[in-house]
Amino acid sequence: MNQPESDDDGLFDHCPWLYAEQASKEQRAAQEQRQKRLLGGSGSGSVRLGEGCFVAETAAVYPDVLHLGDRSYVAAHAYVTGDIRTGADCTINPFTVVRGNVTLGTGVRIGAHSSLLAFNHGTSPDLPVHQQPVTSRGITVGDDVWIGSHVVVVDGVTIGDHCVVGAGAVVTKDLPPWTVAAGNPARRIRDRRAARGAASRAEASGGAASGSEAPHPDREWSALAGELSAFATTARAQAPDLLDLCRQPGTGRYVDRPGAEPTVRAHCDAVEIAELLLGEAPPHLPTAEHAARLRALQDPVTGLVPEYGAAPPVPGPAGLPEDGASAYHVLCVGYALDLLGSSFAHPVHAVRTTTADRLVRQLAELPWRDRAWHAGAWVDSWATAAHWNLRLGTEAAAPGALEALFGWLHTHADPWTGMWGSPTAESGRLQMVNGYYRLTRGSFAQFGLPVPYAERVIDTVLDHARDPRHFVPGRENACNVLDVIHPLWLCARQTTHRAEEARSWAATRLTAALRRWHPGRGFPFGPSPDGTGPGREPGLQGTEMWLAIVWLLADLVGLADVLGYRPRGIHRPEPAPAAERP
């Protein structure tokens, strides 16, 4: 390439990254004069330009304050006003608009035709738009950020360190560090640290290192995001039909699927589904009436909830029976009431009176060796009952019992698998993995505590997820997929161990899960070798579980925001409110 004698053709204005190596003495002198004019036309200290900076002659730069860090540049036809401060190695590419109070960290690349607009107009109806007051909260961009072409960043937004924003995005909310975002409004596509393969392919294909061209999200994730968005729209539109279908005429109770008997769980599943997809209680009754019906089911003596028509439950040695509907009702009724803005009418007395000694004896006697799912489910119900007791302002259990639970769990977790229980010849790791989900859901996750041996758990779960007895087409069911994705999701909050494998597994299962939806009827639970569960017929239980599964799968691959819903009941991702740590 021949070096021009002057910059009349606009080479450096449009390609300022070439200036440092290719500019002639005359061109450097012209740039020095350009910078002197900027410095001379400002108040004392309001313009500071670091070493090696470049400001295009054709750029409209009229700042109140302009501080450019070393080796930063403003390219052709950029429009810069307000209070603009950058770190070193920042680039404002051609036709970019940066206005208002804008702070850039070190190494920020802003693609061509993008706009960072750190101000806004009021919209009050009592004044014409041109007379509305102007407000400004400012825009902050962290270090090592790539903002692609034709991006708009609105006032008040903070973009964290190491983010990448795809072409055409409209950033209306803060982006956490390491986020790869795209869309209008911009949504998180993935974590940049977990996309090393995609980043390498982009670099190998000649991605624009200057930032003048925008990054393009991995096509696989973009397609999957589109599928998720379409699914969520369909599910919301068809949720009323599903709820109507499972409302039993005459009794006003809910059935899991047409033809089934009404159950307490079906009513709770209806509440969860309506809250997720419609943002309200099932429309057949006022919210207060839903809550009143569920509250009335609780036995005031034990605090447990029997099935419709069943006798009051008989507590076990440590407060709860090992099996049966009443143990699960501690979860589903409690969380349904919580979603309805209500709560149990009575403490779960059967757990509130449990002593530490009795609890430890019961934990030791649970069937960990061959029925680890049942053992884990018991822990889930007991810990959840303790949580509801705390929410009601009573003792969770007898003094020291809750602490004894976590102490026992920590000291009995297998350091080789991270789990409780053992594989069996009949089902491999199924019992221990499924039991792990139930146990940690009600204990560590619900109380916001880290799980022990998180990396070993991931190893065990990923190994189990390859077992063809449970994870091939025609054999997967909601329980088995949930019991894999939740541990992977939970442990991913503590470690990046085997993150790519976990994400790959989640993406594959996510695509398959979306295809299970039956129009107007929801999700089927799926086949069960032992005949338990609702099976292949769509209904409330399958729908409630798969909606949560889809969210967890999507969140692990960085696409949960596309769904527009977030579980707040049994499968909530955050610790339950007011769950006090033992």
Side-chain angles (χ1 to χ4, degrees), residues 528-535:
S528 299
D530 59 2
T532 61

Side-chain angles (χ1 to χ4, degrees), residues 526-569:
S528 299
D530 59 2
T532 61
R536 298 177 185 271
E537 287 298 314
L540 296 180
Q541 181 179 339
T543 301
E544 186 274 326
M545 293 182 71
W546 279 109
L547 286 174
I549 292 166
V550 166
W551 189 92
L552 289 164
L553 291 167
D555 197 57
L556 194 63
V557 301
L559 295 174
D561 287 349
V562 175
L563 289 167
Y565 70 77
R566 185 181 185 88
R568 295 198 306 118

Side-chain angles (χ1 to χ4, degrees), residues 310-398:
V314 177
L320 290 177
E322 283 191 24
D323 290 306
S326 62
Y328 191 76
H329 291 166
V330 172
L331 279 65
C332 68
V333 177
Y335 271 105
L337 287 169
D338 191 53
L339 291 173
L340 294 167
S342 186
S343 64
F344 278 125
H346 312 281
V348 184
H349 297 295
V351 166
R352 191 172 62 87
T353 57
T354 303
T355 65
D357 288 346
R358 282 165 51 200
L359 176 61
V360 168
R361 285 197 300 271
Q362 177 66 17
L363 290 170
E365 292 171 2
L366 290 172
W368 298 106
R369 182 171 296 278
D370 57 352
R371 298 172 68 226
W373 182 88
H374 298 271
W378 188 91
V379 172
D380 186 5
S381 297
W382 192 95
T384 302
H387 163 68
W388 296 129
N389 289 345
L390 289 171
R391 290 279 295 274
L392 286 172
T394 68
E395 293 292 333

Side-chain angles (χ1 to χ4, degrees), residues 144-162:
D144 181 36
V145 172
W146 187 1
I147 298 173
S149 296
H150 295 279
V151 169
V152 176
V153 182
V154 303
D155 186 36
V157 164
T158 295
I159 298 176
D161 296 344
H162 315 296

Side-chain angles (χ1 to χ4, degrees), residues 109-130:
R109 294 290 194 262
I110 305 175
H113 298 278
S114 288
S115 297
L116 278 65
L117 305 174
F119 61 92
N120 209 340
H121 288 279
T123 57
S124 174
D126 59 347
L127 286 175
V129 171
H130 75 278

Side-chain angles (χ1 to χ4, degrees), residues 297 350 523 557:
L297 299 174
F523 282 114
V557 301

Side-chain angles (χ1 to χ4, degrees), residues 265-527:
R265 176 171 184 164
H267 192 165
C268 298
D269 287 339
V271 170
E272 293 242 14
I273 292 165
E275 198 282 331
L276 272 179
L277 297 180
L278 305 177
E280 60 185 12
H284 311 105
L285 295 171
T287 299
E289 180 63 21
H290 281 291
R293 292 191 178 198
L294 291 173
R295 280 168 62 90
L297 299 174
Q298 189 182 24
D299 173 38
V301 176
T302 63
L304 299 173
V305 177
E307 188 54 86
Y308 291 133
V314 177
L320 290 177
E322 283 191 24
D323 290 306
S326 62
Y328 191 76
H329 291 166
V330 172
L331 279 65
C332 68
V333 177
Y335 271 105
L337 287 169
D338 191 53
L339 291 173
L340 294 167
S342 186
S343 64
F344 278 125
H346 312 281
V348 184
H349 297 295
V351 166
R352 191 172 62 87
T353 57
T354 303
T355 65
D357 288 346
R358 282 165 51 200
L359 176 61
V360 168
R361 285 197 300 271
Q362 177 66 17
L363 290 170
E365 292 171 2
L366 290 172
W368 298 106
R369 182 171 296 278
D370 57 352
R371 298 172 68 226
W373 182 88
H374 298 271
W378 188 91
V379 172
D380 186 5
S381 297
W382 192 95
T384 302
H387 163 68
W388 296 129
N389 289 345
L390 289 171
R391 290 279 295 274
L392 286 172
T394 68
E395 293 292 333
L402 193 57
E403 291 81 0
L405 170 69
F406 285 98
W408 192 94
L409 294 176
H410 272 286
T411 55
H412 287 77
D414 182 351
W416 295 101
T417 64
M419 299 197 170
W420 299 266
S422 306
T424 65
E426 296 78 16
S427 60
R429 295 171 175 82
L430 181 67
Q431 283 278 335
M432 59 190 292
V433 171
N434 289 14
Y436 181 91
Y437 158 67
R438 286 295 305 272
L439 183 153
T440 55
R441 191 221 70 84
S443 55
F444 293 94
Q446 186 165 230
F447 283 84
L449 298 172
V451 298
Y453 310 118
E455 293 187 353
R456 300 292 76 76
V457 171
I458 291 172
D459 292 338
T460 302
V461 170
L462 287 176
D463 195 24
H464 166 64
R466 292 192 292 266
D467 191 331
R469 288 173 289 186
H470 316 298
F471 297 99
V472 293
R475 295 188 181 181
E476 290 185 342
N477 62 45
C479 185
N480 293 349
V481 177
L482 174 62
D483 296 348
V484 167
I485 184 53
H486 190 274
L488 290 178
W489 179 91
L490 184 63
C491 292
R493 302 172 79 179
Q494 296 178 215
T495 177
T496 58
H497 180 63
R498 298 178 71 176
E500 285 295 325
E501 290 179 67
R503 282 164 50 84
S504 176
W505 186 90
T508 300
R509 290 309 179 281
L510 188 54
T511 300
L514 298 181
R515 284 153 177 71
R516 291 188 170 98
W517 180 265
H518 289 231
R521 299 168 63 203
F523 282 114
F525 177 86

